[in-house]
Amino acid sequence: MKQFIVDAFAEKIFTGNQAAVCVLDEWLPDEMMLKIANENNFSETAFVVKENDFYKLRWFTPSAEVDLCGHATLATGYVILNHYDKNISSVKFKTLSGDLIVTKRNDLYEMNFPAYEFKEVEVTDEMEEALGVRPIEAVLSRDLLMILKSEDEVKNLKPNLEKLKKLEGLTQSVTAKGKDFDCVSRVFAPKVAVNEDPVTGSTHCLITPYWSKKLGKNKLTALQASKRTGILYCELIGDRIKISGKTALYAIAEILPN
C-alpha cells in the first residue's frame, strides 16, 4: 500500500500541516486504519479508494475517525491529480460530509466545503481559565471559536489542554483580526489526541463566515499561526466556502500492515 506524506497549506516542506494519504485498492478494516493513523501520529491520515468515477475518502486522527478534514482533503487531491489521474484538473470525493471537490488552479488546490452555521455563546470563566486570557466573544458550531483582542494574544497563547477538553466543541480555536492577513487563528483538538493542529481547513468553515460578516467581505486571506504556520485563501459563496492553498510533497512510502 502506497502512502504519501504531504504538507498542506504549505509554501515549502516543513511548513503547513502534515497529512498522510493512503491510496487503497479496497478498504481495510476500521481497526487497521486507526492503527495506521496512530502509527503516523499526524493530526490526520486520509484513506482513499476509487469507486467508479469518483473516490471515497475517510479521515482518521490518531484516536478516532472524523467527519471532515480540510488539510487532508487538500493533500489527497494533490496526490490523485498528480500521481494517479494526471489528465484531470478536479477530483470528486464522497465523504461523511457529502461530496467534496478539489480543483487544481495553477499552484493552488481549491476545495469547496459547506459553511458551518454557528451561534453566539456566552464567554465563561472556564474559557478564560483554559486559555489564560478572556475572549471578547465566542461562537459554537461543530467547533468552539473564541475571539481574542489581538493577533499577539493569539500567537502568544499557552492554553491549558486539560481544561480545553472540558469546553464545548470538537476543537477549541482562537482567532483575532490580523495585521498582515484578514485574520489569524490557532486550533487545539485535545479531545481527539491533537494538542495543536498546525493548519486546519475544516475550522475555516467556521472562521470564514464569522470574519466575512465582521469585516464585510467575502474573500479572506487567513494565517494559522501555529509553529509550522499556514496560509489559507478563503471565499464565502452563499452557504459554501472555497478554501485554497499550496502543497509540498515530503515523502512517498510503501507500508505493509500485517
Side-chain angles (χ1 to χ4, degrees):
M1 178 175 61
K2 216 173 260 307
Q3 176 172 272
F4 298 78
I5 299 176
V6 179
D7 293 337
F9 300 112
E11 304 290 315
K12 57 185 179 180
I13 61 169
F14 307 125
T15 65
N17 199 352
Q18 304 150 296
V21 179
C22 297
V23 183
L24 310 175
D25 293 324
E26 59 184 25
W27 292 108
L28 298 171
D30 287 9
E31 181 182 4
M32 178 57 69
M33 290 190 285
L34 185 58
K35 285 181 177 178
I36 292 170
N38 183 267
E39 183 77 10
N40 286 330
N41 202 32
F42 297 143
S43 56
E44 262 85 16
T45 295
F47 296 88
V48 62
V49 173
K50 188 169 187 179
E51 298 182 3
N52 300 317
D53 60 343
F54 63 86
Y55 289 84
K56 192 165 183 182
L57 175 62
R58 297 171 67 184
W59 311 277
F60 287 79
T61 75
S63 66
E65 185 173 10
V66 294
D67 63 357
L68 182 62
C69 177
H71 83 276
T73 302
L74 194 82
T76 306
Y78 163 82
V79 169
I80 297 302
L81 295 174
N82 288 278
H83 295 272
Y84 288 86
D85 283 336
K86 299 180 182 180
N87 295 323
I88 60 176
S89 59
S90 66
V91 56
K92 180 169 73 173
F93 298 111
K94 288 194 175 294
T95 78
L96 289 175
S97 291
D99 291 353
L100 301 177
I101 296 173
V102 178
T103 301
K104 183 178 182 180
R105 300 192 188 281
N106 298 318
D107 60 347
L108 289 176
Y109 292 83
E110 176 187 281
M111 300 176 290
N112 191 311
F113 285 148
Y116 285 165
E117 294 183 1
F118 61 87
K119 62 179 181 181
E120 292 187 15
V121 294
E122 180 185 358
V123 173
T124 64
D125 293 341
E126 288 77 12
M127 293 178 189
E128 183 176 3
E129 290 170 4
L131 296 178
V133 297
R134 192 169 186 87
I136 57 175
E137 194 177 347
V139 298
L140 179 67
S141 61
R142 184 197 75 167
D143 303 321
L144 176 64
L145 180 64
M146 294 166 282
I147 295 81
L148 303 186
K149 293 178 182 178
S150 69
E151 178 176 317
D152 289 339
E153 276 196 348
V154 170
K155 290 182 174 180
N156 296 330
L157 197 72
K158 296 179 180 179
N160 184 311
L161 296 173
E162 288 303 313
K163 291 184 177 180
L164 278 183
K165 283 183 182 179
K166 298 177 182 178
L167 300 180
E168 293 184 279
L170 179 66
T171 71
Q172 296 73 44
S173 307
V174 294
T175 187
K177 191 174 184 300
K179 300 173 184 176
D180 299 319
F181 298 86
D182 291 304
C183 59
V184 297
S185 66
R186 288 173 67 191
V187 178
F188 307 94
K191 291 182 182 180
V192 291
V194 178
N195 290 343
E196 180 170 2
D197 196 33
V199 194
T200 318
S202 61
T203 301
H204 282 77
C205 294
L206 171 58
I207 290 171
T208 301
Y210 174 84
W211 281 111
S212 179
K213 182 179 179 180
K214 287 288 184 181
L215 299 176
K217 57 193 296 189
N218 287 346
K219 291 185 177 181
L220 304 172
T221 304
L223 172 70
Q224 192 155 328
S226 65
K227 185 176 180 180
R228 291 176 63 93
T229 71
I231 299 171
L232 307 93
Y233 305 93
C234 308
E235 182 178 4
L236 180 64
I237 303 173
D239 61 355
R240 305 287 298 185
I241 295 174
K242 289 183 179 180
I243 301 176
S244 302
K246 297 180 181 180
T247 60
L249 178 65
Y250 175 68
I252 302 174
E254 193 80 26
I255 59 176
L256 303 169
N258 294 325

